[in-house]
Amino acid sequence: MQKFIPFLLLLFVVKLASAQGQLQLFDRDGQHIVNGEQLFVWVEDLNQEAVSVEYFIRNNSNTDMTLKCVRTIHTEVAGSFNYFCALGVCWGPAVDEADAYLVEANTTLPEDNPFSGHYNAVGNAGTTEISYKFYNVDNPNDSISFTVKYSDTNVATNSLKLYDINDQEITVSYT
């Protein structure tokens, strides 16, 4: 029994370490993106040049990885367009899969060339939903993905209304 407990502890530590994933995404503030996470980007001005998301890719493994990024457009506002970039190369609206690029073991893509997704509404209202998936070319199951909803509707101020018992809307103010 005494030999069994250290074995269980070792198994737990190995399982915990592998649960963190080989690939990680995080923003400039160090906030990690969870695999499958859904993000919201408010397009405040439909005529601005573009709104963007920017993330750093980390290879947490002890071996180099050749990665690819795949973009999947779920819904798209007519007349809008989007593109994505990594390692200083950008792919336009007609390309959904980036060229493969090497991320060395235990390294993060350089700060001056993170992954970025860009959306331009070109004055058109609505919601565009795009997923980005990063995967290891040698092991496609080793992947991480997230979805971005670009919308001109500010969810923070428009998605929740409160009413009192007399059906009167309650105004909530933030200070």
Side-chain angles (χ1 to χ4, degrees), residues 95-148:
V95 178
D96 288 324
E97 187 166 325
D99 296 334
Y101 50 93
L102 181 71
V103 180
E104 295 177 357
N106 294 305
T107 61
T108 303
L109 284 182
E111 190 170 310
D112 56 343
N113 285 313
F115 164 82
S116 58
H118 307 271
Y119 174 74
N120 191 324
V122 195
N124 300 293
T127 300
T128 292
E129 184 175 335
I130 303 170
S131 292
Y132 301 97
K133 177 181 179 180
F134 300 88
Y135 70 93
N136 181 347
V137 172
D138 297 324
N139 179 7
N141 292 325
D142 188 4
S143 66
I144 188 167
S145 64
F146 65 97
T147 301
V148 181

Side-chain angles (χ1 to χ4, degrees), residues 40 75-77 119 124-129 148-153:
F40 178 82
T75 59
E76 186 173 30
V77 174
Y119 174 74
N124 300 293
T127 300
T128 292
E129 184 175 335
V148 181
K149 283 187 179 185
Y150 299 95
S151 182
D152 61 298
T153 303

Side-chain angles (χ1 to χ4, degrees), residues 9-75:
L9 183 59
L10 177 63
L11 186 62
F12 174 74
V13 169
V14 168
K15 189 69 171 170
L16 182 64
S18 65
Q20 292 178 356
Q22 301 290 327
L23 295 173
Q24 290 184 335
L25 294 172
F26 56 94
D27 64 18
R28 286 199 182 274
D29 296 328
Q31 299 294 321
H32 285 269
I33 301 301
V34 177
N35 190 25
E37 188 166 347
Q38 293 194 4
L39 307 167
F40 178 82
V41 175
W42 181 27
V43 182
E44 186 173 6
D45 179 357
L46 294 174
N47 294 305
Q48 74 187 63
E49 187 172 317
V51 292
S52 304
V53 294
E54 184 177 80
Y55 296 104
F56 298 93
I57 302 166
R58 176 155 180 81
N59 173 358
N60 244 6
S61 74
N62 292 324
T63 58
D64 295 350
M65 281 188 194
T66 303
L67 297 182
K68 278 197 169 193
C69 177
V70 176
R71 173 186 59 189
T72 303
I73 301 171
H74 302 286
T75 59

